[in-house]
Amino acid sequence: MLYYIGIGILVLVIAFFMAATQKARGYNFWRYFIVSLVIVASIYMMLENLVLKPK
Amino acid sequence: MGTLVIIAQLILALAILVVLHELGHFIPAKLFKIKVEKFYLFFNPWFSLFKIKKGDTEYGIGWLPLGGYVKIAGMIDESMDTDQMKQPPKPDEFRSKPTWQRLIIMIGGVTVNILLAFFLYAMIAYFWGKDYVKNQDYIYGIEVLTEKLEGENLFMNGDKILAVEGEPLDDLMQANSKMLINQAKNYTVERNGEIVEITIKEEGVDYMLEEENIVFRPRIPSIIDSVLDRSLANKTGLKKGDKFNTLNGENVEMYDDFRKTIIQLKSIQTDSFEMVINRNGELLTLSGQFDTSYTFGFYNVNAYSDVFKKTHISYTFGEAIPEGYRIAKKTLSDYISQFKLIFTKKEAVKKVGGFGTIAKIFPTTWDWRTFWSRTAFLSVVLAFMNILPIPALDGGHVMFLLYEMIAGRPPSDKFLEKAQLFGFMILVSLMLLANGNDVYRWITGN
């Protein structure tokens, strides 16, 4: 459980920072936050199945 | 305190690299009379730590140290300023300029990073020179750190590696990097006065990636460097400079043999020990009782101690320049080879690191030589990563500009916008992979 909470926080943090770099350039934070969130979450699921395979 | 020193070094190195990289875009843009709206060190979402407007450009420092940016008018970048792009092109905009000017602006950042690395390596060579132990001065040969590569037909402790893939070996540590990075398979070693040719498969690469350890290190004699207070070594009467000959009848002149013997004695629960040591040329026999830890409590000399002859190379200014070029070129080619491993070795994917890994390359104490050397390395990494042909990176822009030069027309704005979004997605994925690995390692302690 703790593992997934950690991953969830990491996904949010990365999406936040990636969107924040776009916000810095004067563009819509939420648009990029949602795009980042979807990508990060999907890539995590792919990685979990393909590479990490937690026992 | 050590962590603060690491963070300070990381932020200073990033600041230097980002400012110079962005200057590489900014200066040619200004020379070609293009409007640059913003020049920022670090990102500034919501607020800036500092900003000042001079002419058309706002210069500032952001609070998010993930890089920096210059906002060039009329350029489709990861910011996707579609409103601006709908207006007709103005003469001071990026998109109005000839392709060759735009290409120079786009490769400016990476060019500065490569030149910076070359300059820093040259200055390190000029001011500090090079200190190392020559391979031939490791007179006791090598210690092999994995059983996978140990044996009659493979390597043995005490072997002296003379050449790798036919090239003479000057620095023993290069044998490790050649095995990992260049996947070298053929080694010439001297074993008991005879020349032996060894051919390996990929055991070394697999071991280094799995265990994050090197395969070879210099073989070191068992000589005490210092004895801990209240230790078994102290109680037994061992002193700094004592050389071990035997322990319970086993030859332990070499420190790897000493460690193996201790493990053996521990496995059969031997209570007592008797050792022969050499103190200033005189042989002494000492004895005692092991405690439950089977630890003597002394530090052995290491590969950098006075046991081995050190070589210092000084460079004149004229010699430092080609040396800087050589090191920068080697660093870049080694990095590219390591990058290829990600696509060929599954284990290598797990070794990709993010900001935590970058921070770890800096030591916990401030040392200017190490700081400039690591900054030069990061400059090479930044140059390489930025020139990858991924939309949203400099290399992506270069790729589309080259297409424009060949096809005679640029890709459509719509295509570029989609490509930028796609590139942004790849960047987010890379961020997750790199920083996710860091967090995974931190959580699992691996």
Side-chain angles (χ1 to χ4, degrees):
Chain A
M1 184 63 186
L2 203 62
Y3 173 82
Y4 287 101
I5 290 172
I7 291 297
I9 292 170
L10 179 72
V11 167
L12 284 172
V13 167
I14 291 177
F16 172 82
F17 283 128
M18 290 303 287
T21 62
Q22 300 306 301
K23 164 77 182 163
R25 295 160 190 257
Y27 304 99
N28 192 311
F29 171 80
W30 291 109
R31 178 182 171 188
Y32 279 92
F33 183 65
I34 291 164
V35 168
S36 306
L37 205 59
V38 171
I39 301 162
V40 171
S42 346
I43 296 290
Y44 167 71
M45 283 182 239
M46 275 166 58
L47 277 178
E48 190 188 45
N49 287 326
L50 294 175
V51 182
L52 300 175
K53 288 182 183 164
K55 293 176 183 81
Chain B
M1 187 61 191
T3 310
L4 284 179
V5 173
I6 290 176
I7 293 170
Q9 289 180 92
L10 179 65
I11 290 179
L12 180 61
L14 278 180
I16 293 168
L17 295 174
V18 168
V19 167
L20 293 176
H21 177 93
E22 300 306 335
L23 273 177
H25 297 304
F26 178 82
I27 291 171
K30 284 285 185 187
L31 284 174
F32 297 137
K33 302 195 186 321
I34 298 173
K35 185 178 169 188
V36 180
E37 292 162 359
K38 288 183 179 181
F39 182 110
Y40 263 82
L41 164 64
F42 305 148
F43 289 100
N44 61 326
W46 298 287
F47 67 92
S48 310
L49 296 179
F50 166 81
K51 64 179 174 184
I52 186 169
K53 184 144 187 171
K54 278 195 172 179
D56 287 335
T57 312
E58 180 182 302
Y59 301 86
I61 301 175
W63 58 269
L64 185 57
L66 291 181
Y69 68 100
V70 282
K71 192 165 191 307
I72 297 173
M75 180 180 154
I76 294 188
D77 62 4
E78 54 270 50
S79 60
M80 292 198 283
D81 191 348
T82 46
D83 293 340
Q84 190 183 46
M85 303 308 288
K86 281 175 192 158
Q87 309 294 323
K90 292 176 190 161
D92 63 351
E93 282 187 356
F94 182 80
R95 55 187 168 146
S96 317
K97 300 295 175 186
T99 324
W100 66 271
Q101 290 189 359
R102 282 180 279 150
L103 190 63
I104 288 175
I105 293 167
M106 288 326 306
I107 60 173
V110 166
T111 309
V112 165
N113 283 126
I114 293 289
L115 290 176
L116 175 69
F118 155 59
F119 173 76
L120 288 178
Y121 283 130
M123 290 304 101
I124 291 166
Y126 178 63
F127 285 107
W128 286 286
K130 182 180 175 185
D131 292 290
Y132 74 121
V133 178
K134 282 189 173 183
N135 183 32
Q136 67 203 52
D137 292 324
Y138 280 125
I139 49 178
Y140 305 103
I142 56 164
E143 180 186 349
V144 188
L145 297 175
T146 169
E147 287 176 2
K148 287 180 183 173
L149 280 173
E150 211 174 357
E152 286 274 323
N153 298 323
L154 295 165
F155 299 94
M156 293 179 79
N157 287 345
D159 283 355
K160 291 174 186 166
I161 303 177
L162 303 178
V164 180
E165 298 289 4
E167 266 185 55
L169 188 69
D170 182 49
D171 182 348
L172 177 58
M173 287 303 155
Q174 290 288 322
N176 290 300
S177 58
K178 286 188 181 197
M179 184 178 285
L180 176 68
I181 296 167
N182 307 109
Q183 320 228 327
K185 305 248 181 322
N186 300 304
Y187 298 78
T188 310
V189 306
E190 185 192 315
R191 182 177 298 160
N192 304 322
E194 285 181 13
I195 303 294
V196 179
E197 297 291 340
I198 296 168
T199 301
I200 60 164
K201 291 176 186 162
E202 296 202 342
E203 307 94 324
V205 180
D206 295 339
Y207 170 79
M208 281 194 260
L209 287 173
E210 278 163 25
E211 304 296 324
E212 291 189 49
N213 198 6
I214 52 177
V215 167
F216 310 116
R217 67 178 174 201
R219 201 173 192 210
I220 299 163
S222 306
I223 302 175
I224 294 179
D225 184 60
S226 59
V227 175
L228 299 176
D229 291 340
R230 282 178 289 183
S231 62
L232 179 59
N234 197 6
K235 204 169 136 190
T236 310
L238 290 167
K239 290 188 166 55
K240 179 182 168 74
D242 284 350
K243 296 174 185 172
F244 289 90
N245 275 18
T246 61
L247 177 62
N248 285 17
E250 297 290 331
N251 185 329
V252 291
E253 285 178 27
M254 291 295 130
Y255 193 53
D256 52 288
D257 289 333
F258 184 90
R259 289 197 315 267
K260 275 180 198 162
T261 304
I262 290 286
I263 291 168
Q264 275 170 11
L265 295 175
K266 189 177 179 181
S267 69
I268 55 171
Q269 298 283 300
T270 308
D271 296 332
S272 59
F273 63 86
E274 185 178 275
M275 58 174 70
V276 178
I277 60 156
N278 182 330
R279 182 175 294 162
N280 302 321
E282 189 186 343
L283 292 181
L284 298 175
T285 303
L286 303 173
S287 56
Q289 297 287 319
F290 280 116
D291 61 20
T292 50
S293 71
Y294 284 77
T295 305
F296 272 99
F298 68 85
Y299 286 109
N300 199 68
V301 295
N302 62 37
Y304 305 101
S305 70
D306 294 336
V307 175
F308 303 104
K309 182 185 156 201
K310 288 187 195 68
T311 300
H312 175 80
I313 302 175
S314 298
Y315 297 90
T316 63
F317 193 78
E319 289 167 340
I321 302 293
E323 178 65 8
Y325 173 76
R326 189 191 67 77
I327 300 174
K329 192 177 155 199
K330 186 174 184 312
T331 307
L332 180 61
S333 72
D334 284 357
Y335 192 77
I336 293 171
S337 303
Q338 283 184 62
F339 189 77
K340 283 184 197 157
L341 284 178
I342 296 172
F343 302 99
T344 54
K345 293 275 175 191
K346 195 177 164 188
E347 275 296 318
V349 176
K350 296 182 194 171
K351 306 302 172 198
V352 174
F355 289 101
T357 305
I358 294 171
K360 269 194 207 161
I361 73 171
F362 290 104
T364 50
T365 51
W366 201 293
D367 168 57
W368 283 109
R369 180 183 185 168
T370 311
F371 172 77
W372 289 120
S373 165
R374 302 294 191 269
T375 304
F377 171 71
L378 287 181
S379 197
V380 171
V381 174
L382 192 62
F384 174 71
M385 295 306 289
N386 251 301
I387 206 68
L388 289 176
I390 297 172
L393 291 177
D394 292 352
H397 290 283
V398 170
M399 179 173 69
F400 293 133
L401 284 169
L402 291 176
Y403 167 81
E404 189 179 333
M405 286 171 122
I406 295 163
R409 60 183 170 79
S412 71
D413 286 355
K414 205 163 189 176
F415 174 80
L416 284 177
E417 282 171 30
K418 283 186 178 157
Q420 293 302 135
L421 186 63
F422 178 66
F424 178 76
M425 288 177 180
I426 296 177
L427 289 188
V428 176
S429 316
L430 285 172
M431 285 284 285
L432 176 74
L433 173 67
N435 293 288
N437 274 348
D438 278 357
V439 172
Y440 182 76
R441 280 193 282 262
W442 180 63
I443 291 171
T444 58
N446 290 327

